[in-house]
Amino acid sequence: MDGIHDLGGKQGFGAVIRENAEPVFHERWESRVFGMSRLGSGGAARTLDQSRHAIERIDPGAYLTHGYYGRWLGGLENLIVEAGVLDTATITRRAVELGASATDLIAARPSSNPDRIEYEPADPGHRRPLAALPRFGIGDRIRTSPHGVPGHTRLPAYARDRRGMIVSWHAGWVFPDTNAHGHGENPQHLYTVAFEGSELWGGDAEPGVVVHLDLFEPYLEPINE
Amino acid sequence: MSDTLAPAIRAEAIESLLIEKGLITAAAVDEVIERYNDRVGPLNGARVVARAWCDPAFRRALLADATAAVAPFAFEGGQTEKLVVVENTSKLHNVVVCTLCSCYPWAMLGLPPRWYKDPAYRSRIVREPRRVLEEFGVKLSADIEVRVWDSSAEVRYLVLPERPAGTDHASEDELAACVTRDAMIGVERLL
């Protein structure tokens, strides 16, 4: 989806703000959100891809203003509500009891028609054996898909419809575009693709820059030169 | 109630409700937090870098197959199902990002710093890496190629920095102590 999360190449965010001696967590609640998410979000999270997509679907304003763990909180609540573990009204009622305002911006935007993931992972992790041979070899020139997709994908918008070169092959991996939605692990060959800065950014590109992305085979088409 | 406090209260509401439903325990959440606060961190990556500087065979193995090379360390933390180590040289500088979320080699570097997850870094480093690196204090001459690694799948990247000058007699432990998190992301040079 063309969501707020797809930040590569966006302009206007200004300087990178760093801090010295940064703690692992700045606020107690951030650590609690991290812990709850790592414990499987109350049984609501089945796959990492589903969890990533749950974050991509939160309120775009909250995505930019609530920080990293605010995004995780929105994703956690999306998953919990969509799985029927808790409902939004119950969470809001408890939050108001704890001092929240009814007009607070809530990051979660749970779907009224959520995906159902009915399968267990075939194996731990995300690598999967593939019988099909890879379509591309090292050094092959490719062009990326020109269009976005409605759901989860790992082809950033800035690298759509761009020419690159295969520089590594990583064999078969679970395909996030289907796995995030409960449509199967559908393993695909994964490649590292190198893109010249000028191919991505045209005349504005800095000289001597190469950007690498790890891209799944369905995102790629051969260039016949 | 300001928006900066709203997430804190909502998180507390969700945690209390999940606990009441018996789906999590506060102690289990505590245990996860403790693990990432105390046992996962950039020290892990620093040990690997120092070993690579001292042991040419390990360095070759690390650059060829980092996942296998670091397996004997048995680091905790996850997010390193496949690890790739990219080496800085006098003609090449590597820097790591995840523009789509904030993927990061947790078992090597701990949880990422805030700037790594913020929109400014994620948006800019793929588009104007030289300018961003200069803001970090890394000035690269035009003849040094910049390679940006946008972690868009489950492969995680770690930068092997150049060994600082004048450290020929330093021990592996002394070298590990001078390897910074930022150098292993690629936004600092140790020279």
Side-chain angles (χ1 to χ4, degrees):
Chain A
M1 64 181 281
D2 279 328
I4 191 71
H5 65 285
D6 193 354
L7 284 166
K10 295 285 189 296
Q11 294 178 300
F13 286 109
V16 179
I17 308 294
R18 288 177 288 159
E19 60 188 288
N20 292 322
E22 183 175 343
V24 177
F25 301 103
H26 291 76
E27 307 283 346
R28 182 179 180 278
W29 71 268
E30 297 180 338
S31 69
R32 306 311 292 179
V33 169
F34 179 78
M36 285 189 276
S37 300
R38 293 292 290 170
L39 292 170
S41 307
R46 301 290 289 274
T47 73
L48 182 59
D49 299 308
Q50 175 198 24
S51 297
R52 287 206 181 105
H53 191 49
I55 290 174
E56 295 166 359
R57 295 183 283 112
I58 70 169
D59 180 276
Y63 191 98
L64 295 177
T65 58
H66 286 187
Y68 179 66
Y69 292 106
R71 291 171 218 148
W72 277 46
L73 173 66
L76 170 75
E77 183 174 333
N78 274 345
L79 292 174
I80 284 174
V81 172
E82 290 168 357
V85 174
L86 296 171
D87 63 76
T88 301
T90 302
I91 298 169
T92 298
R93 195 158 54 241
R94 177 62 59 89
V96 169
E97 286 168 13
L98 293 169
S101 159
T103 59
D104 284 342
L105 174 59
I106 298 168
R109 292 266 193 87
S111 168
S112 57
N113 183 26
D115 295 319
R116 298 285 173 210
I117 299 185
E118 308 287 356
Y119 52 87
E120 294 296 326
D123 285 300
H126 300 83
R127 292 177 192 241
R128 297 291 181 268
L130 264 184
L133 295 173
R135 187 177 181 194
F136 304 108
I138 307 299
D140 283 2
R141 304 274 304 160
I142 58 82
R143 181 182 289 278
T144 53
S145 172
H147 302 298
V149 297
H152 184 62
T153 189
R154 299 295 289 181
L155 174 63
Y158 79 85
R160 284 184 202 147
D161 200 17
R162 294 295 196 275
R163 293 168 299 173
M165 189 175 76
I166 307 280
V167 295
S168 302
W169 168 64
H170 302 288
W173 293 74
V174 171
F175 189 40
D177 299 44
T178 52
N179 196 45
H181 298 284
H183 299 157
E185 293 195 338
N186 188 23
Q188 302 291 332
H189 289 286
L190 180 69
Y191 306 88
T192 301
V193 183
F195 298 89
E196 297 289 334
S198 55
E199 174 69 11
L200 297 173
W201 314 114
D204 290 341
E206 293 179 344
V209 168
V210 180
V211 177
H212 298 78
L213 285 146
D214 293 327
L215 299 177
F216 293 89
E217 195 167 270
Y219 304 160
L220 312 177
E221 288 295 333
I223 296 177
N224 298 312
E225 286 164 320
Chain B
M1 182 58 57
S2 78
D3 277 348
T4 53
L5 289 175
I9 296 178
R10 201 145 188 104
E12 188 181 352
I14 289 173
E15 184 177 0
S16 66
L17 289 163
L18 291 178
I19 289 171
E20 286 164 26
K21 277 188 162 263
L23 294 170
I24 59 168
T25 66
V29 176
D30 290 342
E31 199 279 325
V32 174
I33 295 165
E34 193 182 293
R35 185 182 335 140
Y36 282 87
N37 261 325
D38 300 342
R39 300 207 295 279
V40 180
L43 188 62
N44 292 348
R47 285 173 56 198
V48 170
V49 168
R51 176 77 52 86
W53 285 343
C54 295
D55 179 344
F58 179 76
R59 178 180 151 275
R60 280 192 298 276
L62 187 68
L63 295 172
D65 182 353
T67 321
V70 305
F73 289 88
F75 295 134
E76 289 184 72
Q79 283 288 307
T80 44
E81 192 171 357
K82 175 155 187 174
L83 182 68
V84 171
V85 171
V86 288
E87 184 181 35
N88 285 351
T89 70
S90 60
K91 291 294 172 202
L92 183 62
H93 185 86
N94 294 282
V95 61
V96 180
V97 67
C98 169
T99 63
L100 290 173
C101 39
S102 299
C103 297
Y104 190 75
W106 291 0
M108 308 301 294
L109 297 182
L111 297 180
R114 192 143 67 180
W115 59 259
Y116 182 88
K117 303 172 285 193
D118 279 349
Y121 181 75
R122 288 165 51 196
S123 61
R124 294 180 58 206
I125 194 70
V126 290
R127 187 172 189 137
E128 45 179 9
R130 289 181 188 274
R131 185 171 302 179
V132 174
L133 288 168
E134 192 158 339
E135 289 173 17
F136 273 86
V138 178
K139 290 188 174 58
L140 299 172
S141 57
D143 62 329
I144 298 180
E145 180 182 323
V146 178
R147 291 187 181 170
V148 183
W149 302 85
D150 186 353
S151 321
S152 50
E154 296 307 322
V155 182
R156 296 291 169 268
Y157 291 90
L158 186 82
V159 175
L160 176 58
E162 285 182 87
R163 181 169 174 162
T167 59
D168 291 356
H169 302 291
S171 70
E172 194 173 313
D173 285 347
E174 287 166 343
L175 287 169
C178 75
V179 180
T180 64
R181 174 198 70 200
D182 286 3
M184 293 181 280
I185 300 173
V187 296
E188 183 183 354
R189 294 179 105 190
L190 302 173
L191 304 175

